[in-house]
Amino acid sequence: MPTALSHLVVFAGTLLAAGSALAQTCEVRSGPRPPAVVELYTSEGCSSCPPADRWLSTLKTQDQVLALSFHVNYWNHLGWRDPFATPETTARQYRLKEALRGKYVYTPQVVLNGRDHRDWHGQSASGLEGLPAAAAPALRLSRQGNTVTAQIAATSGTGPAGELAGYWAVLQDGLVSKVTRGENAGENLRHDHVVSLYQPVAPWSAAQGGSARLTLPAGSMQRVAFVVTNAGLTQPVQALVLQCPA
């Protein structure tokens, strides 16, 4: 059944050439209610992070939530290198710190719809407010082969320059690590919604609309999210996730 977040359409393509496999395209479109965008900044080297990781795993896309787990690398010096941390995901948290005028970065940090959210403990998905519908442009994601395309409709935009930007997030679920050193030594940690690839998209004119493309590795069936933001990449205004059937 289609949800309020999106409507998924899967259809067969045409035969590309004699003897070739049937190409398949899948597509998802934004609905009338944008989701809540939850960003968790976490690290396997942080002893207070596992409860936040477990909480994030309870959030599901069908509950009108896009959950994103950004692993950061600044705790790697404590004896355990987080295998999911990247310089790009870490840099995003520092960008948010500047936008929110924070004094420092920390883990676990939950950012809800672009704002620091410290009351996440025990909160259910139904208690997370979605993005404002009035500011959300229509968004469509489609995949053909290994290429995912985002089409963002024209809108009045945000900010003095009337520009929007965005980012791709490739997501992985069910990841498990047996930690042997550091603050979580001896723990088996499980993670969902892990951002294995974070790729910003340059700003475009909101009044004209925009598009972006992402090429995935051959055979990849991971979930792919696109988040439309302000020009500074810090305030989400629309988001959508695409998962094509195997």
Side-chain angles (χ1 to χ4, degrees):
M1 293 293 291
T3 65
L5 170 62
S6 61
H7 178 65
L8 183 65
V9 180
V10 180
F11 55 94
T14 58
L15 197 62
L16 298 180
S20 68
L22 194 65
Q24 190 178 65
T25 300
C26 69
E27 177 181 296
V28 65
R29 297 174 183 265
S30 58
R33 293 191 300 124
V37 176
V38 179
E39 302 174 52
L40 169 64
Y41 293 88
T42 184
S43 170
E44 288 193 345
C46 153
S47 61
S48 58
C49 286
D53 295 330
R54 291 191 292 269
W55 172 76
L56 198 75
S57 292
T58 68
L59 305 180
K60 308 298 181 184
T61 302
Q62 59 264 33
D63 294 327
Q64 283 293 109
V65 177
L66 173 59
L68 303 161
S69 180
F70 291 91
H71 284 240
V72 298
N73 61 18
Y74 49 80
W75 297 128
N76 285 356
H77 67 281
L78 296 180
W80 177 255
R81 292 184 61 84
D82 189 321
F84 310 117
T86 69
E88 292 80 13
T89 52
T90 306
R92 174 160 180 80
Q93 189 184 24
Y94 277 93
R95 178 189 286 267
L96 281 171
K97 177 186 75 72
E98 295 301 319
L100 297 172
R101 299 182 179 180
K103 294 182 179 179
Y104 47 81
V105 293
Y106 68 95
T107 56
Q109 181 186 20
V110 174
V111 178
L112 173 62
N113 299 335
R115 296 183 179 181
D116 200 35
H117 184 68
R118 296 176 182 262
D119 297 327
W120 56 268
H121 300 268
Q123 193 170 29
S124 66
S126 61
L128 300 171
E129 185 176 356
L131 294 167
L139 175 61
R140 177 171 66 91
L141 301 181
S142 60
R143 178 170 177 172
Q144 178 77 47
N146 298 321
T147 301
V148 184
T149 302
Q151 294 284 349
I152 307 96
T155 181
S156 57
T158 59
E163 290 185 327
L164 293 174
Y167 63 84
W168 293 104
V170 177
L171 305 176
Q172 290 185 279
D173 301 305
L175 300 177
V176 179
S177 287
K178 183 175 178 59
V179 180
T180 60
R181 297 182 301 277
E183 291 187 354
N184 289 314
E187 297 289 336
N188 288 311
L189 302 181
R190 178 185 169 91
H191 311 289
D192 295 306
H193 315 301
V194 174
V195 178
S196 60
L197 173 68
Y198 167 70
Q199 183 173 304
V201 174
W204 63 85
S205 168
Q208 296 180 8
S211 65
R213 288 187 177 181
L214 177 70
T215 301
L216 300 172
S220 172
M221 297 309 298
Q222 296 170 335
R223 290 187 297 135
V224 180
F226 190 80
V227 182
V228 184
T229 70
N230 63 349
L233 292 168
T234 57
Q235 178 62 56
V237 297
Q238 178 64 284
L240 197 57
V241 63
L242 176 68
Q243 183 166 26
C244 299

